[in-house]
Amino acid sequence: MDPVVLSYENSLLRRSDVFLLEGPHWLNDQIIGFAFEYFVTDCFQRLNKMAVFISPEVTQFIKFSADAIELSLFLEPLDLPSRRWVFLAVNDNSNQSAGGSHWSLLVFHRNSNQFIHYDSQNASNLVHARRIAMKLEPFLGSGRKVHLVEEDCPQQCNSYDCGMYVICIAEILCEMAMGEKGPHLPVQNITPDFITQKRAEWCRLIQSLVQRSSYPITH
């Protein structure tokens, strides 16, 4: 049995998803998608008109879509030309299904007219980020070429924390956007201990949301 423990906006978390946060495990689409939903719904509501978070599943679809009309059906409702920030979690999976072994964060920043890639493992996802950026560019309404840059990013010291780096970096960038700041990270603040602490914080957050819902977490 793998019971549902939390239904939150468009996210559905099962016990096995929450377990990934509790230990030294690679995070899946569901946890990252939930974090993005939480940022939009609770944490950074003031950014709703200027920022959009694209779910990991849709990002993977963008990467492999060969039909511009089909792609527009997914992207036009997001009103990307009005957004100053667009956040996407990049996965290294080589097919359209969920999976893979590494996450990174791709951000479109309108003020600098750049795609900015934050990769906690030596730009290993750069080819995937470039492919997504190429597919997304025609829908941004920029009117000029959008270049991709690899931003200085704190590096993970294990094989499983990449998803937490994506969540934490996205959160910090949102805080900076709230203060009208640019997309350059305070790298010195994002340490391995900080990432571990954030894992525990997200576990506590989910527990608190579960207590307000009708789904008990059982071990």
Side-chain angles (χ1 to χ4, degrees):
M1 289 288 292
D2 189 12
V4 171
V5 296
L6 181 64
S7 177
Y8 180 88
E9 297 298 320
N10 294 318
S11 292
L12 198 69
L13 294 183
R14 296 187 176 275
R15 180 68 192 91
S16 60
D17 301 321
V18 180
F19 175 76
L20 298 177
L21 271 172
E22 295 173 351
H25 303 294
W26 186 85
L27 302 185
N28 62 10
D29 296 51
Q30 284 72 29
I31 290 292
I32 293 175
F34 161 75
F36 281 7
E37 289 271 10
Y38 186 75
F39 291 154
V40 169
T41 305
D42 271 283
C43 251
F44 303 108
Q45 291 183 10
R46 281 174 48 202
L47 293 181
N48 278 359
K49 291 184 178 179
M50 71 171 71
V52 64
F53 288 84
I54 297 180
S55 72
E57 295 88 351
V58 173
T59 298
Q60 193 72 350
F61 170 78
I62 292 169
K63 184 167 71 172
F64 287 100
S65 176
D67 187 332
I69 296 176
E70 185 181 31
L71 190 54
S72 69
L73 294 176
F74 280 84
L75 296 180
E76 285 182 2
L78 300 178
D79 194 18
L80 296 182
S82 74
R83 310 292 187 167
R84 291 163 58 185
W85 298 77
V86 180
F87 293 85
L88 309 100
V90 178
N91 192 291
D92 67 347
N93 200 12
S94 295
N95 59 62
Q96 198 166 316
S97 62
S101 62
H102 183 56
W103 293 104
S104 59
L105 181 68
L106 180 65
V107 175
F108 171 67
H109 182 239
R110 187 169 298 278
N111 287 3
S112 61
N113 195 49
Q114 291 179 327
F115 283 106
I116 305 166
H117 187 224
Y118 305 85
D119 194 330
S120 61
Q121 199 170 69
N122 297 314
S124 62
N125 265 3
L126 183 56
V127 63
H128 300 278
R130 286 193 187 282
R131 185 171 182 177
I132 293 165
M134 179 186 69
K135 296 289 184 68
L136 202 61
E137 183 177 353
F139 299 93
L140 295 172
S142 174
R144 52 201 172 107
K145 178 67 180 174
V146 183
H147 296 286
L148 188 151
V149 298
E150 194 75 30
E151 178 70 10
D152 189 22
C153 181
Q155 298 294 290
Q156 65 193 80
C157 59
N158 54 49
S159 61
Y160 52 81
D161 265 337
C162 51
M164 277 308 305
Y165 276 87
V166 166
I167 292 171
C168 291
I169 291 169
E171 183 176 14
I172 290 169
L173 289 174
C174 284
E175 291 169 352
M176 295 170 70
M178 295 272 283
E180 299 293 331
K181 296 180 181 178
H184 302 295
L185 284 176
V187 176
Q188 68 279 2
N189 296 341
I190 309 173
T191 64
D193 286 343
F194 174 82
I195 295 295
T196 300
Q197 173 190 330
K198 281 292 186 178
R199 271 188 182 265
E201 288 181 11
W202 279 94
C203 282
R204 289 194 294 271
L205 169 66
I206 291 172
Q207 289 280 1
S208 70
L209 293 173
V210 167
Q211 288 171 7
R212 287 188 253 157
S213 71
S214 58
Y215 297 100
I217 289 186
T218 57
H219 293 267

